[in-house]
Amino acid sequence: MKVNNKIYRTVWLENRSVFMIDQTLLPFEFKIFEAKNYHTTCQAIKTMIVRGAGAIGAAAGYAMAQAFFDAPDKGFKEFIAKAKTDIENTRPTAQNLFYATNRVCAAAFKSQTPRKTAVQEAHKIANEDADNAKRIGELGSGLIRSGFKLMTHCNAGWLAFVDWGTALAPTYVSHHNSKNVFVYVSETRPRSQGAKLTAWELKNEGIDHAIIADAASASFISQRKVDLIIVGADRIAANGDVANKTGTLAKAIIAKEYNIPFYVAAPTSTIDLDCQTGRRITIEQRSEDEVLYQTGLNSKGKIEKILVCSPGSKALNPAFDVTPAQYITGLITEKGIIKPDNNSIAELLSQ
Amino acid sequence: MKVNNKIYRTVWLENRSVFMIDQTLLPFEFKIFEAKNYHTTCQAIKTMIVRGAGAIGAAAGYAMAQAFFDAPDKGFKEFIAKAKTDIENTRPTAQNLFYATNRVCAAAFKSQTPRKTAVQEAHKIANEDADNAKRIGELGSGLIRSGFKLMTHCNAGWLAFVDWGTALAPTYVSHHNSKNVFVYVSETRPRSQGAKLTAWELKNEGIDHAIIADAASASFISQRKVDLIIVGADRIAANGDVANKTGTLAKAIIAKEYNIPFYVAAPTSTIDLDCQTGRRITIEQRSEDEVLYQTGLNSKGKIEKILVCSPGSKALNPAFDVTPAQYITGLITEKGIIKPDNNSIAELLSQ
């Protein structure tokens, strides 16, 4: 997608270096980070220079390919085995990471030219992520008419994937097809991924938008100033219940109350058939400091963290919530748009 | 209520000075502001050193009484007339302000000792505000059992009135009666009156509480971790629809979905019989800067304003929303707890 009118991916490989948009500095600074070997790429995943399921997977695939370059002929296999463990230990809960390292290793070890094959496989993983996201965008854009006012929550944009994103992909495709769209960007406290990342993405693509306080969503929905809501997903249960960033559930309930369509966009890899309902999903409780403090740009243009709550008070910070399938109009996946229920999901995955 | 274990009102008169808790510095600094004449009290109302419907009314009554002290014997009436206009021009949309100036003047001019009567009437106004709030607290506390987890939004605490507050008064009375209560304090973006003022009040009273992101409310309600929600009101229509701080509507809809009681606490003076339904209430659109920037304490202990959104993006900032009566369990007023409908409201006001 576009940044200062130039096309970028979130992460890419050039010669032997992995390049990444440094997401720790966004939206206040745009810098490309170069990792010349797999060790530095590991460090970048760990410190969240690259973040988001798809983007982490692609970065891990490229790190694995770098390890094949770096490995000496003597002790080749041992070097690769250690590198694989190092990469997998960076963000050990990220599913896409293991998927990528396993896939690159399997392909390379079957090949006569393991170094070349590792690179090819890593590129394939990144391209598939971008292709799936683009397909979600194309399918989802069928729901969008010119003049639509959309609403989203958090950041399920291209920064979280290699390109296109999920919740934002239908908006991007619509915009590219000259549909006139407007997006209400819910700021997504406490970490403000909406206000900081989604707004940044939309501005760079030249898409009309406005940031709103999360609490103001109901105000716009109740006045029917919103035509369609699309959010992403962290996990989708077999029955269609969706775990996503805190604040998703509120929007879904209010949307249903006012008959506004509410869709969840995610690749089929987000569906977890082993998880029967949303009740089985454990919600991560994050540090109260995310609520108590806010980070931003001070009057001198420096990034600063300030206390925004009454000193001495505590906070509770559930990072995600679970939206029961009954409040969700449909799931937008790369394989099709379906109803969020057991049968539709099973059928989709068997294709 | 208590601050550092000493009892305070938000505003009071001592000799000829009006004293106010300086709300522009809270929660980071606790300072009492002294206004030695009505001019300075006017300035304090204008700059929001004192804020909130009831507190503004009391401050205006005291300012009017100060004008009676300050007025010279020669040109007494002219001085008072000018002072009245000055006071009324400080925050011209605040109903309570006109109510207070008119009442003090009417009483004083009927009296043989106008200066003395003006002071007595101003005290009466402040005391009535505190008494009404306390009564709301007593009636509302009947809804609270020991062990309850409450939720509130914004600040309808004692800082907005002379004492006790409205939405928080039932919690204070319950706490004084040794009921064990816990309060989820919704931070109330963009101005964070929950995180900054409500949390500060509760901490000073020693009431157990936790600040949460507004978007997290649904998470706690859906898990039935909330027993009762009480919020304040800026205006109540004749049919029971309620205008209150943005974010109220979302909580009310979600509470109804999960059968959690949702009450609105306000003095009967908040009811506007001329306003037939909530649809007639004009919603104030405030500056986008309230969303784009956040104010807090930096690492050096200084109050600082930082940009918390992607630079160059716009924001929309409706200050209030309207909650239809169908989502409200009841109204807690100083005259009783009633259903939010035309008949119950008309009957209450005719008492």
Side-chain angles (χ1 to χ4, degrees):
Chain A
M1 305 299 284
K2 271 189 237 166
V3 184
N4 304 326
N5 287 312
K6 208 184 134 186
I7 301 283
Y8 285 90
R9 281 187 164 191
T10 307
V11 52
W12 67 96
L13 183 78
E14 228 173 276
N15 300 321
R16 295 193 177 185
S17 284
V18 177
F19 292 88
M20 289 158 270
I21 294 175
D22 187 341
Q23 299 197 37
T24 61
L25 302 174
L26 287 181
F28 304 117
E29 249 181 86
F30 179 73
K31 264 196 183 163
I32 304 301
F33 181 85
E34 177 180 1
K36 295 194 176 177
N37 54 52
Y38 92 82
H39 289 289
T40 316
T41 308
C42 283
Q43 209 49 37
I45 298 173
K46 211 175 230 167
T47 58
M48 296 176 78
I49 284 173
V50 64
R51 55 152 280 282
I56 286 175
Y62 285 138
M64 201 67 246
Q66 279 181 308
F68 277 86
F69 287 129
D70 302 345
D73 288 335
K74 205 182 151 183
F76 186 84
K77 284 207 167 177
E78 293 72 19
F79 186 96
I80 296 297
K82 184 181 178 301
K84 189 167 180 287
T85 310
D86 287 347
I87 298 165
E88 290 167 354
N89 282 340
T90 53
R91 303 271 318 263
T93 51
Q95 283 283 0
N96 299 50
L97 200 151
F98 295 89
Y99 171 79
T101 52
N102 285 328
R103 219 176 116 175
V104 170
C105 285
F109 282 126
K110 265 191 275 174
S111 158
Q112 299 297 322
T113 52
R115 289 188 172 91
K116 200 179 153 196
T117 304
V119 171
Q120 285 171 340
E121 196 66 21
H123 278 311
K124 243 195 205 171
I125 292 169
N127 289 337
E128 280 173 21
D129 180 83
D131 289 348
N132 281 344
K134 194 178 179 195
R135 188 73 192 124
I136 286 172
E138 288 164 349
L139 288 167
S141 77
L143 302 168
I144 298 174
R145 286 207 301 274
S146 192
F148 259 31
K149 288 178 192 286
L150 295 127
M151 184 180 273
T152 190
H153 191 62
C154 199
N155 176 259
W158 67 275
L159 288 170
F161 295 84
V162 175
D163 207 352
W164 294 96
T166 54
L168 291 184
T171 298
Y172 291 136
V173 171
S174 298
H175 180 70
H176 289 191
N177 293 342
S178 303
K179 287 181 196 167
N180 182 19
V181 289
F182 172 90
V183 184
Y184 291 98
V185 179
S186 191
E187 66 171 335
T188 318
R189 282 277 294 151
R191 288 178 68 97
S192 302
Q193 295 96 328
K196 288 178 173 164
L197 302 180
T198 296
W200 183 85
E201 286 192 18
L202 293 172
K203 187 179 157 253
N204 280 302
E205 282 295 309
I207 294 173
D208 200 14
H209 65 282
I211 299 165
I212 59 168
D214 300 318
S217 306
S219 176
F220 294 101
I221 298 170
S222 70
Q223 292 171 77
R224 299 178 193 288
K225 290 182 176 172
V226 182
D227 298 294
L228 173 64
I229 302 172
I230 309 179
V231 301
D234 285 86
R235 190 136 49 129
I236 301 175
N239 72 340
D241 292 351
V242 168
N244 191 45
K245 184 58 42 67
T246 295
T248 302
L249 173 60
K251 282 189 178 55
I253 292 174
I254 295 155
K256 193 174 186 196
E257 194 71 15
Y258 291 95
N259 288 312
I260 305 296
F262 182 94
Y263 282 86
V264 173
T268 48
S269 58
T270 313
I271 298 169
D272 181 359
L273 286 182
D274 294 336
C275 178
Q276 297 193 330
T277 83
R279 270 186 233 118
R280 299 273 179 96
I281 302 173
T282 309
I283 298 301
E284 180 188 354
Q285 305 294 321
R286 293 184 57 87
S287 161
E288 65 173 355
D289 282 1
E290 293 187 346
V291 176
L292 301 177
Y293 295 86
Q294 255 282 43
T295 301
L297 215 59
N298 71 16
S299 54
K300 288 174 186 148
K302 296 259 180 245
I303 293 174
E304 182 152 14
K305 195 173 168 179
I306 60 171
L307 175 68
V308 293
C309 293
S310 183
S313 284
K314 286 181 300 183
L316 290 169
N317 185 18
F320 304 100
D321 59 29
V322 175
T323 302
Q326 66 182 108
Y327 300 111
I328 299 166
T329 313
L331 305 175
I332 309 170
T333 76
E334 78 281 6
K335 293 185 173 180
I337 301 178
I338 57 162
K339 291 271 159 215
D341 59 51
N342 285 292
N343 289 344
S344 308
I345 288 173
E347 200 184 313
L348 184 83
L349 293 185
S350 68
Q351 282 172 21
Chain B
M1 304 300 285
K2 269 189 240 168
V3 184
N4 304 326
N5 288 311
K6 206 184 136 186
I7 301 282
Y8 284 90
R9 281 187 164 191
T10 307
V11 51
W12 68 95
L13 182 78
E14 227 174 276
N15 300 321
R16 295 193 177 186
S17 284
V18 178
F19 292 88
M20 289 157 271
I21 295 176
D22 188 341
Q23 298 198 37
T24 61
L25 302 174
L26 286 181
F28 304 116
E29 248 181 86
F30 179 73
K31 262 196 185 163
I32 304 301
F33 180 85
E34 178 180 0
K36 294 195 177 176
N37 55 51
Y38 92 83
H39 289 289
T40 316
T41 307
C42 283
Q43 209 49 37
I45 298 173
K46 211 174 229 168
T47 58
M48 296 177 76
I49 285 174
V50 63
R51 55 152 281 282
I56 286 175
Y62 285 138
M64 201 68 248
Q66 278 181 309
F68 276 87
F69 287 130
D70 301 345
D73 287 336
K74 203 182 153 184
F76 186 82
K77 283 206 167 176
E78 292 72 19
F79 186 96
I80 295 297
K82 183 180 178 305
K84 187 167 181 286
T85 310
D86 287 349
I87 298 166
E88 290 167 355
N89 283 340
T90 53
R91 303 271 319 263
T93 52
Q95 284 283 0
N96 298 51
L97 200 151
F98 295 88
Y99 171 78
T101 51
N102 285 329
R103 216 174 118 177
V104 170
C105 285
F109 282 127
K110 264 192 276 178
S111 156
Q112 299 297 323
T113 53
R115 289 186 173 90
K116 199 179 154 195
T117 304
V119 171
Q120 285 171 341
E121 196 65 21
H123 277 311
K124 241 194 205 173
I125 292 169
N127 289 338
E128 279 172 21
D129 180 83
D131 289 348
N132 281 344
K134 194 178 180 195
R135 187 74 192 125
I136 286 172
E138 288 165 348
L139 288 167
S141 78
L143 302 168
I144 298 173
R145 288 207 301 275
S146 193
F148 259 30
K149 287 178 193 288
L150 296 127
M151 184 180 275
T152 190
H153 191 61
C154 198
N155 176 259
W158 67 274
L159 287 170
F161 294 84
V162 174
D163 208 352
W164 294 96
T166 54
L168 292 183
T171 298
Y172 290 136
V173 170
S174 298
H175 180 69
H176 289 191
N177 293 342
S178 303
K179 287 180 195 168
N180 181 19
V181 288
F182 172 89
V183 184
Y184 291 98
V185 178
S186 191
E187 66 172 334
T188 318
R189 281 278 292 151
R191 289 178 67 98
S192 300
Q193 295 95 328
K196 286 178 175 166
L197 303 180
T198 297
W200 182 86
E201 285 191 18
L202 293 171
K203 187 178 159 252
N204 280 303
E205 282 295 308
I207 294 173
D208 200 13
H209 65 282
I211 299 165
I212 58 168
D214 301 318
S217 306
S219 176
F220 294 101
I221 297 171
S222 70
Q223 291 172 77
R224 298 178 193 288
K225 290 182 175 170
V226 182
D227 298 294
L228 173 64
I229 302 171
I230 310 180
V231 300
D234 286 86
R235 191 135 51 129
I236 301 174
N239 72 340
D241 292 351
V242 168
N244 192 44
K245 184 59 41 68
T246 295
T248 302
L249 173 60
K251 283 190 175 56
I253 292 174
I254 295 155
K256 194 174 185 195
E257 195 69 16
Y258 291 96
N259 288 313
I260 306 296
F262 183 93
Y263 283 86
V264 173
T268 48
S269 58
T270 312
I271 299 170
D272 180 359
L273 286 183
D274 293 336
C275 179
Q276 296 192 331
T277 84
R279 270 186 232 118
R280 301 272 179 99
I281 301 174
T282 309
I283 297 300
E284 180 188 354
Q285 304 296 320
R286 292 184 57 88
S287 161
E288 65 172 357
D289 282 2
E290 293 186 348
V291 176
L292 302 177
Y293 295 85
Q294 255 282 43
T295 301
L297 216 58
N298 71 16
S299 55
K300 288 175 186 150
K302 296 259 180 245
I303 293 174
E304 181 150 15
K305 195 172 168 180
I306 61 171
L307 175 69
V308 294
C309 293
S310 182
S313 284
K314 287 180 299 182
L316 290 170
N317 185 17
F320 305 98
D321 60 28
V322 174
T323 302
Q326 65 183 107
Y327 300 111
I328 299 166
T329 312
L331 305 174
I332 310 170
T333 76
E334 78 281 7
K335 293 186 173 179
I337 300 178
I338 57 161
K339 291 270 161 216
D341 59 50
N342 285 292
N343 288 345
S344 308
I345 288 174
E347 200 185 312
L348 184 84
L349 293 186
S350 68
Q351 279 172 24

